[in-house]
Amino acid sequence: MICIHFKLEINSQTTRNYSIEISCKSRTLDSTRSILEFKWPKRTPTTTAYYLYKKGKDRYDWGASFRTLASADSSFNDTILTGTAYEYMVEKYFGPDGYPTYGFIYAGHRLPAKTNRGKILLIADSTHKAFLTNAIRTYRNDLIGDGWQTELKWFSPSTTVSGIKSYIVSMYNADPSNVKSIVLIGDLAVPYSGDFSKNTAYWPPDGHVSISGYGPSHEGAWPTDIYYGSINNTPWTDATVNNTDGVRPANRNVPSDGKFDVTVLQELVTLEVGRIDLSGMTAFKFNVPDTGNIERELLKRYFTKNHDFRHKNVVIKERCLVDDNIGLLTGGTYNEQFAGNAYRNMSALISDSVTKNNTSIYDYRTTLRTNDYLWSFGFGTGSYVNCSNVASTAQLADTAQYIKSVFSGFMGSFFGDWDTSNNLLRAPLAAKGNVLNTFWCGRPNWYFHHMGLGETIGYSTLRTQNNYDSFWSALYGQALALYPNMAYFPFEIHPSLMGDPSVRMQPVYPVSNFAAVQDSCSTQKFKLTWTASADTAVHTYYVYRSKHIDSAFQLLATTSQTIYRDNSPLTGTNVYMVRASKLQSSGSGTYFNLSQGLFDTVSTASYRTPLVDAGNDTLVCRNQVVKIGEKVNNSFPTTYLWTPGNYSTDTVSISVTANLDHIVTVTDVETGCKKMDTVSLSTIALPVSETISATTQTCSDTVGWSSTNNNGINYEYSWTFPSGSLVDTSGFGLVSPGTITYGSTGSYTAGLIVRDTASGCSNGFTGNVDILCVGLSVNWADLKCQKFGESTEISFNIIDYQQIESVVIEGLSLENQYIKIGELKITKDGRYKYVIENSSNYRGVRISSRKIDGSLEELDFCLWSSEKGQILVYPNPVESVFKVVLEDAFLNINSSVVIYNSMGIEMYNFKHNFENGELEINCENWLKGIYTIVIQNEKSIKTTQFIR
């Protein structure tokens, strides 16, 4: 509990009277100057005057006031150089109770982006190394992405305070200009220091001493992470304090016990310190996935919250919640108003905080469960685990509870012993929601106004701890506050920050889809591309490069584009980072605010060039189909494009019609790297065009083909006759290949290929003939006449018998007159013989057909011949089996019998001696049509035809 003898007056308007809620808007005046417009609301009581002070941010004295305002004033302007910022203090003479009241602001216009924040030391509990490796790697990347260099060191929880401090001092001394901050992660040694006592001028900051009505005693030493940040020449001794009044053993301080004597700081603190310690938070057992690893689960949750806020995966409204259950605390030398930590700071941090009432009074726990406030404050009497009417650790550990706030300050008794189990000050860090930082505020007050122009909460913590005016303190020989605000306990050892000290107030949407790939296939260059930030106020991007992600990054360029080319990368590994920049407004003016950086890594050692081979230059015959390109195995995905043609394979087959270069482009799918190769195809002229034609269109007749002979005897002519029987097909200058027989009606094509034997190039041509099949001419009867003494035997075949009734036989008299000798009825087998007696009365014979209509048509004629050896085929036409007869002249000689179809294809070939009788042939599987029989021996050759 707060000192119970103090009077509590819970009146928010009364407490606001103790703060000057100053804010600033900035605007450009000319090419080099800007105007800062300050204002604040008037509060009672009426003042006699306002005094204005101005200084550089890092100075520790104000000097004399630079302007005085009348009591009626509540605003002023200041002209500064654009791109600069100053710290201002407004002092009101007088405020309530006859004491001055104050307002503080760090204001500027278009303050440049802070690209290098220095080096931050990460000191982590080694028992969590395996579990948190990935989480801490992400955290380190986020720190690097905000301009920090990081150094990670694992320590055992048993490592002493002095052991950890020795490491910090050595790291600082090795690089004093860069080491700025420390993050303690896990259950690491907690320094204790101080002699808070009722017997000294320094009571415990929460007022609890071993006097009736003030207990239980909180005297002795308090936790202080300031010790880790103090890198100076003044030692922290452990020799003089002997204070055992505290009820908690940890607070008792005696010489040489490892707890230091220092209560009031002897020198300024050098380094910002924050602690992420969620050990001993057993109340959250049922609030985490793994109840057996509470601390680890809570740490993992914390780093996830941290990452999400930095990358703006969650958006928290810039407003402040105040749950003030103390109000005005009276009874001391001057009245205290802890809520002034909210009112005084928020006006400088949140734009139009006062006029838009962005600092509001609501219940802490129930409001923040569903409503988001960037800042939140809870003030109430308390214990280690409870802040009355605000929240308890048990309530914050409820699985349904969320705290949708990022920065959360508390005032209550015993919160200063933040290392106790389930301590309330650390509970919001462990809770679900968004809290990243907590602090015990009011004794002393905290000063966050630097965060309005992009500073970290660690910097504000350092300025709060170093609340020391070097001028007045030296003049009066005691520590006097740089930020006087009628607050107790400034410049003492106990203010400590819970959480990450590098957190800033206004995250910017980062870029997305950032990728670094090689940009050229000839020289080593890299192309960086990204998707623009979702924040429409972002117009510039900062591009950085480093040899390793944990090395210092170099700013390469700023650009308004979403692409950048590094034409001179480092040899080997290149780590690139891109950050979005926007002109950010706050209650303190404007500054250029950088987003978290996104990274990608690429190496010149892995620089790759696609392999490509279009093939060898080739001399080809025009219109020839040729394959170009070679199968090339790239070890990464590639695409192919041939021009002309737009083919998309590594090899393609094309018809060459003219002299042309063909280009293939191979593209690396990932990097976009392109390589091209060209193949030249030159054409050889083809033989000139030939026109081919047929001589007749008659079915079963011989068709003669010929060409126009446009190329000459030095060219090879090759003929093809589908469906026809050919005689000759190829030869030099073969203009006319011979005769072809077609056995049925139809359209037939003849093909001619003319080849230049010198170049090997050929050209093809075709011709067509339409064949018409009609009945056989009546002059075809194959009449044969053989005279044997006084008698003569005639034989003949009649094939087309269907329209004929009989055959009339007439002899040619010696006077050349035809005299009818006989008449034969038509038979189906088509084979006829007739013996003419007294044939010496005739010179020859004629046969004629008597048709069904009675008309006569001459069929055939012959004169007497004494030659024998005629071929007879019967039956004719043939159905399946027929016989071949050869007469006298061939009887004693073996003969070759060959049968061709109408296309000239050999159907039958057999040696036969007709002295042995007739030759029987089966043609059941032959196609219907006209067939030619050729019988040949050493004496003669005879032919005849038949029909199937």
Side-chain angles (χ1 to χ4, degrees):
M1 57 182 288
I2 302 296
C3 303
I4 59 175
H5 69 292
F6 291 162
K7 176 183 177 183
L8 277 63
E9 180 183 351
I10 303 176
N11 186 316
S12 64
Q13 192 59 47
T14 300
T15 57
R16 294 187 87 153
N17 292 341
Y18 285 79
S19 298
I20 297 178
E21 298 179 61
I22 185 172
S23 62
C24 174
K25 287 187 176 181
S26 62
R27 58 184 172 88
T28 300
L29 176 61
D30 54 33
S31 60
T32 60
R33 297 178 299 167
S34 297
I35 294 178
L36 305 181
E37 299 176 341
F38 298 92
K39 66 178 182 179
W40 58 89
K42 291 183 177 181
R43 305 282 191 208
T44 58
T46 302
T47 184
T48 58
Y50 291 98
Y51 297 98
L52 310 180
Y53 299 83
K54 175 181 178 180
K55 72 177 186 67
K57 182 181 71 168
D58 296 326
R59 287 183 55 184
Y60 277 90
D61 69 279
W62 289 102
S65 64
F66 77 101
R67 192 177 302 175
T68 302
L69 301 180
S71 61
D73 290 335
S74 60
S75 65
F76 74 95
N77 291 350
D78 191 24
T79 301
I80 64 170
L81 290 175
T82 301
T84 62
Y86 296 91
E87 199 167 5
Y88 295 85
M89 177 174 67
V90 180
E91 182 181 46
K92 177 181 179 180
Y93 257 68
F94 290 98
D97 310 325
Y99 292 98
T101 57
Y102 297 88
F104 307 98
I105 193 169
Y106 176 54
H109 184 56
R110 300 179 70 86
L111 191 65
K114 192 167 185 177
T115 60
N116 181 11
R117 297 192 175 273
K119 185 176 292 184
I120 186 168
L121 307 180
L122 279 59
I123 301 173
D125 181 345
S126 61
T127 60
H128 304 310
K129 186 174 183 179
F131 184 82
L132 290 181
T133 293
N134 291 338
I136 290 185
R137 180 68 264 180
T138 299
Y139 175 52
R140 291 183 72 181
N141 291 353
D142 287 342
L143 292 171
I144 294 164
D146 198 26
W148 293 94
Q149 296 178 54
T150 67
E151 292 285 347
L152 173 63
K153 181 72 172 179
W154 297 93
F155 280 96
S156 166
S158 62
T159 305
T160 63
V161 167
S162 60
I164 295 176
K165 179 66 173 285
S166 294
Y167 167 74
I168 294 170
V169 172
S170 67
M171 293 298 293
Y172 176 80
N173 289 337
D175 193 7
S177 62
N178 281 319
V179 176
K180 302 293 184 184
S181 188
I182 303 166
V183 187
L184 300 161
I185 302 170
D187 186 11
L188 296 173
V190 177
Y192 270 73
S193 186
D195 186 17
F196 294 112
S197 172
K198 61 184 179 296
N199 300 317
T200 68
Y202 306 105
W203 273 38
D206 58 2
H208 292 281
V209 296
S210 55
I211 298 176
S212 177
Y214 292 86
S217 172
H218 200 177
E219 296 170 272
W222 277 32
T224 174
D225 277 341
I226 286 177
Y227 170 74
Y228 287 136
S230 296
I231 312 295
N232 48 46
N233 296 320
T234 302
W236 287 58
T237 61
D238 180 16
T240 60
V241 174
N242 192 347
N243 185 334
T244 59
D245 290 338
V247 297
R248 181 170 170 255
N251 297 126
R252 298 167 192 168
N253 192 357
V254 298
S256 302
D257 62 352
K259 300 169 188 174
F260 303 108
D261 301 327
V262 178
T263 305
V264 177
L265 298 176
Q266 305 301 299
E267 291 181 334
L268 295 177
V269 182
T270 306
L271 302 179
E272 307 160 8
V273 184
R275 182 182 287 264
I276 307 170
D277 180 6
L278 298 175
S279 62
M281 304 303 288
T282 56
F284 287 83
K285 180 175 182 178
F286 300 108
N287 193 278
V288 294
D290 184 356
T291 59
N293 288 291
I294 302 171
E295 180 185 0
R296 292 178 177 179
E297 292 285 354
L298 294 177
L299 285 170
K300 187 175 180 181
R301 174 188 291 171
Y302 179 87
F303 286 120
T304 299
K305 292 193 294 184
N306 192 306
H307 178 80
D308 286 344
F309 177 70
R310 288 172 177 272
H311 288 261
K312 215 161 184 179
N313 295 333
V314 294
V315 179
I316 308 297
K317 290 185 179 67
E318 291 186 9
R319 55 183 180 177
C320 175
L321 177 146
V322 180
D323 188 357
D324 185 6
N325 298 281
I326 296 178
L328 191 63
L329 192 60
T330 62
T333 305
Y334 42 80
N335 296 329
E336 295 178 88
Q337 24 67 47
F338 304 129
N341 284 274
Y343 303 128
R344 183 179 59 255
N345 282 295
M346 292 307 110
S347 61
L349 299 184
I350 302 174
S351 299
D352 295 330
S353 175
V354 178
T355 57
K356 292 185 178 180
N357 199 28
N358 282 331
T359 303
S360 307
I361 299 174
Y362 290 109
D363 180 72
Y364 182 90
R365 186 170 56 84
T366 57
T367 303
L368 294 179
R369 178 180 294 169
T370 55
N371 299 279
D372 50 305
Y373 286 77
L374 186 64
W375 291 84
S376 57
F377 293 85
F379 307 108
T381 59
S383 65
Y384 295 114
V385 297
N386 181 64
C387 185
S388 297
N389 297 316
V390 176
S392 69
T393 297
Q395 290 171 329
L396 297 183
D398 188 283
T399 56
Q401 180 66 56
Y402 285 79
I403 304 299
K404 303 181 76 171
S405 183
V406 178
F407 309 105
S408 200
F410 297 90
M411 182 61 189
S413 296
F414 300 102
F415 298 170
D417 280 1
W418 37 260
D419 61 328
T420 56
S421 297
N422 293 315
N423 185 272
L424 178 75
L425 201 62
R426 292 186 294 130
L429 303 183
K432 295 177 180 177
N434 312 102
V435 177
L436 299 179
N437 294 106
T438 60
F439 37 88
W440 194 74
C441 61
R443 289 182 174 179
N445 290 331
W446 281 58
Y447 303 93
F448 302 106
H449 53 275
H450 306 92
M451 296 178 70
L453 290 185
E455 272 296 352
T456 65
I457 194 171
Y459 182 84
S460 292
T461 300
L462 188 68
R463 299 301 291 196
T464 296
Q465 295 165 344
N466 288 339
N467 191 4
Y468 177 86
D469 190 306
S470 60
F471 176 80
W472 292 108
S473 296
L475 183 64
Y476 285 97
Q478 59 177 318
L480 296 177
L482 182 68
Y483 306 116
N485 206 45
M486 302 300 108
Y488 294 107
F489 309 102
F491 207 54
E492 295 185 359
I493 54 87
H494 60 286
S496 295
L497 178 69
M498 301 295 103
D500 177 7
S502 70
V503 180
R504 298 191 294 118
M505 195 182 80
Q506 294 176 299
V508 177
Y509 282 107
V511 304
S512 57
N513 302 316
F514 176 47
V517 298
Q518 65 189 58
D519 185 47
S520 169
C521 296
S522 57
T523 58
Q524 292 185 329
K525 301 177 183 179
F526 293 122
K527 179 177 67 175
L528 283 58
T529 58
W530 58 90
T531 301
S533 165
D535 193 328
T536 57
V538 168
H539 301 295
T540 305
Y541 299 95
Y542 284 63
V543 182
Y544 299 83
R545 183 184 66 196
S546 176
K547 191 70 175 175
H548 187 277
I549 194 168
D550 292 324
S551 302
F553 276 80
Q554 170 195 3
L555 178 63
L556 294 180
T558 59
T559 177
S560 60
Q561 306 300 313
T562 56
I563 184 172
Y564 175 79
R565 286 178 168 85
D566 185 3
N567 295 326
S568 301
L570 303 172
T571 300
T573 301
N574 289 259
V575 182
Y576 293 98
M577 174 174 67
V578 172
R579 303 180 69 184
S581 171
K582 67 177 289 187
L583 184 62
Q584 184 81 57
S585 298
S586 71
S588 299
T590 62
Y591 67 102
F592 287 99
N593 190 11
L594 293 177
S595 73
Q596 283 290 146
L598 262 65
F599 306 92
D600 199 15
T601 302
V602 66
S603 174
T604 57
S606 59
Y607 206 87
R608 62 198 195 193
T609 301
L611 301 176
V612 57
D613 190 348
N616 298 323
D617 294 347
T618 306
L619 186 66
V620 297
C621 301
R622 183 169 296 160
N623 298 326
Q624 178 181 338
V625 176
V626 63
K627 185 172 76 172
I628 58 176
E630 295 293 335
K631 180 69 175 178
V632 177
N633 292 320
N634 285 295
S635 60
F636 43 86
T638 53
T639 60
Y640 295 83
L641 179 63
W642 287 88
T643 54
N646 293 327
Y647 303 108
S648 59
T649 56
D650 52 355
T651 60
V652 294
S653 295
I654 60 172
S655 177
V656 182
T657 59
N659 296 346
L660 192 62
D661 288 343
H662 292 264
I663 302 171
V664 61
T665 302
V666 182
T667 304
D668 184 333
V669 172
E670 179 180 341
T671 67
C673 174
K674 300 177 185 293
K675 289 293 288 184
M676 295 185 297
D677 194 24
T678 303
V679 59
S680 295
L681 301 181
S682 302
T683 60
I684 304 172
L686 302 181
V688 297
S689 177
E690 296 271 1
T691 301
I692 60 176
S693 58
T695 59
T696 183
Q697 295 178 285
T698 304
C699 181
S700 298
D701 201 354
T702 54
V703 178
W705 286 94
S706 63
S707 73
T708 51
N709 193 21
N710 295 332
N711 289 281
I713 62 173
N714 292 324
Y715 287 78
E716 183 181 53
Y717 285 66
S718 295
W719 294 81
T720 57
F721 303 97
S723 302
S725 62
L726 56 89
V727 176
D728 198 358
T729 58
S730 65
F732 288 97
L734 186 61
V735 178
S736 179
T739 56
I740 311 300
T741 301
Y742 298 96
S744 59
T745 297
S747 180
Y748 296 91
T749 300
L752 172 61
I753 296 176
V754 181
R755 186 173 71 91
D756 182 346
T757 56
S759 67
C761 293
S762 58
N763 203 353
F765 317 101
T766 59
N768 286 79
V769 64
D770 294 322
I771 298 298
L772 178 64
C773 288
V774 297
L776 291 176
S777 173
V778 294
N779 61 7
W780 190 92
D782 197 19
L783 176 64
K784 297 177 176 62
C785 305
Q786 291 181 318
K787 183 174 175 60
F788 300 100
E790 291 299 319
S791 64
T792 300
E793 182 182 78
I794 64 172
S795 62
F796 55 91
N797 293 332
I798 299 296
I799 297 175
D800 188 5
Y801 61 86
Q802 294 181 357
Q803 300 298 321
I804 301 175
E805 186 177 76
S806 62
V807 178
V808 176
I809 302 171
E810 297 173 296
L812 179 62
S813 69
L814 297 177
E815 291 80 17
N816 292 323
Q817 299 292 322
Y818 279 107
I819 299 171
K820 181 176 179 181
I821 298 173
E823 188 168 350
L824 301 176
K825 291 294 185 182
I826 293 299
T827 61
K828 278 190 174 183
D829 64 9
R831 178 185 179 189
Y832 300 90
K833 285 186 179 183
Y834 185 81
V835 178
I836 301 175
E837 300 294 342
N838 300 315
S839 59
S840 57
N841 295 329
Y842 306 99
R843 297 177 56 201
V845 69
R846 178 176 74 175
I847 59 175
S848 300
S849 65
R850 188 184 301 280
K851 296 186 177 181
I852 297 175
D853 61 4
S855 63
L856 287 175
E857 180 180 0
E858 183 178 322
L859 294 179
D860 208 349
F861 163 81
C862 71
L863 297 177
W864 305 136
S865 171
S866 60
E867 179 185 358
K868 293 190 176 183
Q870 300 299 315
I871 303 173
L872 296 178
V873 178
Y874 65 94
N876 189 4
V878 177
E879 290 187 1
S880 60
V881 178
F882 65 96
K883 293 182 180 182
V884 179
V885 179
L886 187 62
E887 299 183 344
D888 300 339
F890 282 54
L891 289 180
N892 298 316
I893 301 174
N894 286 330
S895 301
S896 170
V897 180
V898 182
I899 303 177
Y900 300 92
N901 66 11
S902 61
M903 293 182 291
I905 299 173
E906 185 180 286
M907 303 296 294
Y908 183 87
N909 192 326
F910 189 72
K911 295 286 186 180
H912 186 73
N913 190 329
F914 284 90
E915 184 179 14
N916 299 326
E918 300 172 333
L919 176 62
E920 184 176 273
I921 299 173
N922 188 328
C923 63
E924 182 178 4
N925 295 323
W926 297 4
L927 297 176
K928 293 184 181 299
I930 298 174
Y931 291 85
T932 301
I933 301 177
V934 179
I935 300 177
Q936 182 178 0
N937 57 31
E938 58 188 17
K939 290 185 177 182
S940 182
I941 181 170
K942 296 291 182 180
T943 66
T944 191
Q945 292 182 311
F946 68 92
I947 294 176
R948 184 186 186 280

